[in-house]
Amino acid sequence: MKRHVAWAAMAVTFAASAAIAETAPMDVKFTDVGAVAESLTGQPGDAAKGAEVAATKSLGNCVACHKVSALDASFQGNVGPELNGAADRWDESQLRGIVVDAKHTFEGTVMPAMYKTGPFIRPGDGYTGKAAPADLPPILNARQVEDVVAFLMTLKEE
Amino acid sequence: ALSTAALHAEMADDELVINGDTPITVKAPAADHLEGHLDEVYSGWLFRTDETRAMEQDDFDNPIMIFAEQGQETWSTADGSEGKSCADCHGDISEGMKGVRASMPKVNEAGKLWSMEDYINDCRTNRMGAEAWGWDSTPMHNMTTAIAVESRGMPVSVKIDGDAQPFWEKGKEMYYTRYGQLELSCASCHEENYGNYIRADHLSQGQIQGFPVYRLKNAGVVSIHNRFKGCIRDTRAETYSPGSDEFRNLELYVASRGLGLDIEGGGVRP
Ligand code: HEC
Ligand code: HEC
Ligand code: HEC
């Protein structure tokens, strides 16, 4: 009985610390060049999962605008620059900043902020054309952002 | 961010002549009000594949002509409590509606900005005693297409000064507003990135002088406002409805970005 309670208490602390470790979209701090130093989850991301997030339309959909040779996705767009070699050009904190909200790195860019919940002008509920719910989630969650960052860190040419 | 040369590399170097006898201007110097935004304006036709462009060159291959023919039939069919047809008041469609599409949308006598659909429904309800057609209903698509055909090869002639100016200003503001969770404006895609690909979609300047268009994807006619609705929806935004005042204003502004181009009178798009 005593052991049971101890386990339960430990599980609660664990959950609480995990929740605290995750940085909410409103709380992300950018450096003056638009970088985000700390992992949003406090954990390293998973590059393989990040590749899937980047290539999937309903998730990051990065291939809509970027060509990434490492990804097996047809019809990669060219609204943004090719991402091959991105890790040679940027360090991890800068790439995280670009994925979270690229407007801090590139003023006025068309690249959408992946980890932002507002304010937006007439936010919608996904691609339905209807109004967004009050608690509109960011396009990617903290874990998915870290996975994409880990994937980007594998894009080296040098 | 991209050079002009790179943008144009992806556009067809082609001339549009419908049925071998009606040349259409699909490329022109931009209107003065676009200074600093665009140097030249292009029809969406130039951004389509060889096959799709070919369909618009010949009425036998253009699927929208079936809709236009149905609209022409309705033109001379009496309807409503007054027992009148469009032809009873406007005469032959080729005379009565010549150039009308090129001037739309425009401010009516009461000072309101009206699109083609509004003028048609005004005649139906107030002059014929007939029911209004839905903005995106089949009879409305048929009629707006039949009327558009009669302005083929005529230059866009929308009025944007005087009483039209306040509407135009509002439309312009919308054009540059970054909507939705993706925070994209019309300009993000159609001014900064025409010529580029967004996934498989080859971005044009988003001009409307080819409308109504036949979309191969839906196998049907698409109105101007319906296209706007889809584009705003695709920014993960709460969109507006066809027939809303917002879309009338936007229609006027977008039409004015096409000044210099000719009306195509039923385009074909993927
Ligand atoms: C709607 C278009 C769009 C989408 C979607 C998009 N980007 Fe971008 N991205 C851009 C543009 C445009 C730039 C160039 C920045 C500028 O100058 O505006 C850019 C720049 C970048 C850069 C810096 C480029 C370099 O190599 O120097 C990275 C990294 C990047 N994006 C990653 C991503 C990732 C990862 C995703 C998906 C999670 C994504 N982008 C989705 C448009 C987009
Ligand atoms: C009883 C007469 C009458 C009938 C029937 C009628 N109209 Fe009209 N229509 C008018 C008048 C009058 C005007 C306004 C005067 C003008 O600007 O030409 C007008 C204006 C229009 C306009 C705007 C033209 C412009 O250049 O501003 C369009 C488009 C139009 N009608 C379409 C139709 C269609 C389509 C039908 C049938 C479904 C129809 N009308 C039936 C009398 C009629
Ligand atoms: C996320 C990118 C994006 C945004 C933002 C966007 N559009 Fe589009 N639009 C497209 C794509 C893709 C197409 C289909 C290919 C083409 O013609 O450009 C298109 C097509 C069009 C067309 C049809 C052109 C033709 O010749 O058939 C019009 C008109 C248009 N858009 C207007 C607008 C207006 C007005 C806005 C702003 C309210 C807007 N678009 C915002 C992506 C966008």
Side-chain angles (χ1 to χ4, degrees):
Chain A
M1 181 68 195
K2 239 182 176 171
R3 255 169 71 188
H4 238 96
V5 175
W7 270 112
M10 235 171 92
V12 169
T13 345
F14 226 83
S17 63
I20 288 164
E22 186 166 303
T23 311
M26 298 298 197
D27 299 332
V28 178
K29 301 256 179 320
F30 294 86
T31 68
D32 51 11
V33 289
V36 175
E38 306 279 322
S39 163
L40 302 177
T41 58
Q43 315 270 328
D46 177 334
K49 285 191 183 139
E52 204 180 310
V53 171
T56 306
K57 188 170 179 205
S58 57
L59 297 173
N61 201 18
C62 314
V63 291
C65 295
H66 295 286
K67 212 167 159 225
V68 196
S69 305
L71 292 176
D72 179 24
S74 57
F75 302 115
Q76 303 184 359
N78 64 349
V79 163
E82 289 192 6
L83 296 185
N84 302 329
D88 300 326
R89 294 186 291 276
W90 307 97
D91 67 16
E92 187 188 297
S93 63
Q94 191 77 59
L95 287 172
R96 182 177 295 111
I98 292 173
V99 177
V100 169
D101 186 349
K103 287 176 190 73
H104 292 264
T105 304
F106 311 107
E107 203 197 326
T109 185
V110 302
M111 177 163 160
M114 299 293 156
Y115 196 62
K116 177 176 171 180
T117 49
F120 298 120
I121 298 167
R122 290 179 76 88
D125 187 1
Y127 293 104
T128 61
K130 299 203 171 72
D135 58 342
L136 177 70
I139 295 173
L140 299 180
N141 63 34
R143 153 120 266 139
Q144 291 165 329
V145 170
E146 291 307 325
D147 292 346
V148 169
V149 171
F151 167 67
L152 292 173
M153 285 304 289
T154 68
L155 302 179
K156 292 201 170 83
E157 288 183 322
E158 283 161 18
Chain B
L2 289 149
S3 77
T4 323
L7 291 175
H8 296 180
E10 292 284 0
M11 198 173 65
D13 182 16
D14 200 356
E15 282 175 16
L16 176 57
V17 181
I18 296 176
N19 300 332
D21 60 14
T22 309
I24 311 282
T25 302
V26 289
K27 197 185 272 195
D32 290 347
H33 74 80
L34 286 171
E35 202 186 317
H37 293 274
L38 295 175
D39 295 333
E40 273 195 309
V41 289
Y42 309 113
S43 163
W45 180 80
L46 287 169
F47 296 81
R48 311 287 45 110
T49 60
D50 294 352
E51 298 77 50
T52 310
R53 285 205 316 284
M55 291 174 87
E56 204 181 310
Q57 302 259 35
D58 190 327
D59 280 347
F60 283 110
D61 299 327
N62 186 341
I64 211 168
M65 292 315 291
I66 294 169
F67 299 86
E69 278 161 27
Q70 280 164 8
Q72 283 154 6
E73 222 163 89
T74 308
W75 180 260
S76 46
T77 307
D79 196 4
S81 58
E82 306 304 304
K84 286 200 165 81
S85 75
C86 319
D88 288 332
C89 297
H90 294 284
D92 195 277
I93 191 168
S94 66
E95 283 156 28
M97 291 291 120
K98 197 169 176 60
V100 173
R101 169 70 180 87
S103 68
M104 294 287 174
K106 66 180 181 187
V107 177
N108 69 12
E109 278 179 359
K112 230 182 154 272
L113 182 69
W114 269 6
S115 300
M116 180 77 84
E117 287 86 347
D118 297 303
Y119 284 96
I120 293 173
N121 271 339
D122 181 51
C123 287
R124 285 188 54 80
T125 54
N126 293 324
R127 300 198 171 94
M128 297 166 69
E131 268 180 40
W133 286 326
W135 200 274
D136 276 305
S137 65
T138 304
M140 185 62 93
H141 285 164
N142 294 345
M143 187 58 74
T144 54
T145 305
I147 294 175
V149 169
E150 303 305 337
S151 292
R152 268 186 178 168
M154 298 177 73
V156 172
S157 61
V158 281
K159 189 176 166 225
I160 63 176
D161 55 0
D163 52 5
Q165 195 177 347
F167 302 103
W168 183 83
E169 298 283 358
K170 283 187 203 149
K172 180 176 179 183
E173 197 184 315
M174 273 185 84
Y175 195 88
Y176 290 100
T177 297
R178 299 187 65 160
Y179 288 107
Q181 192 169 17
L182 299 184
E183 298 177 277
L184 297 171
S185 70
C186 315
S188 305
C189 289
H190 296 296
E191 182 172 296
E192 293 176 41
N193 280 294
Y194 69 88
N196 287 332
Y197 285 83
I198 198 156
R199 203 77 202 246
D201 291 324
H202 194 192
L203 286 168
S204 71
Q205 289 182 341
Q207 300 283 2
I208 54 174
Q209 87 304 336
F211 277 75
V213 297
Y214 182 85
R215 271 194 88 181
L216 299 161
K217 189 175 125 190
N218 333 6
V221 177
V222 175
S223 68
I224 294 165
H225 289 199
N226 202 38
R227 180 78 235 195
F228 291 169
K229 178 182 162 191
C231 280
I232 295 196
R233 181 198 60 215
D234 287 348
T235 68
R236 290 188 182 231
E238 177 186 4
T239 193
Y240 295 94
S241 302
S244 59
D245 284 342
E246 287 85 359
F247 277 167
R248 289 190 185 89
N249 298 338
L250 185 62
E251 181 185 344
L252 176 60
Y253 177 69
V254 178
S256 79
R257 292 175 69 95
L259 284 163
L261 299 174
D262 284 349
I263 298 297
E264 289 168 32
V268 186
R269 302 291 184 262

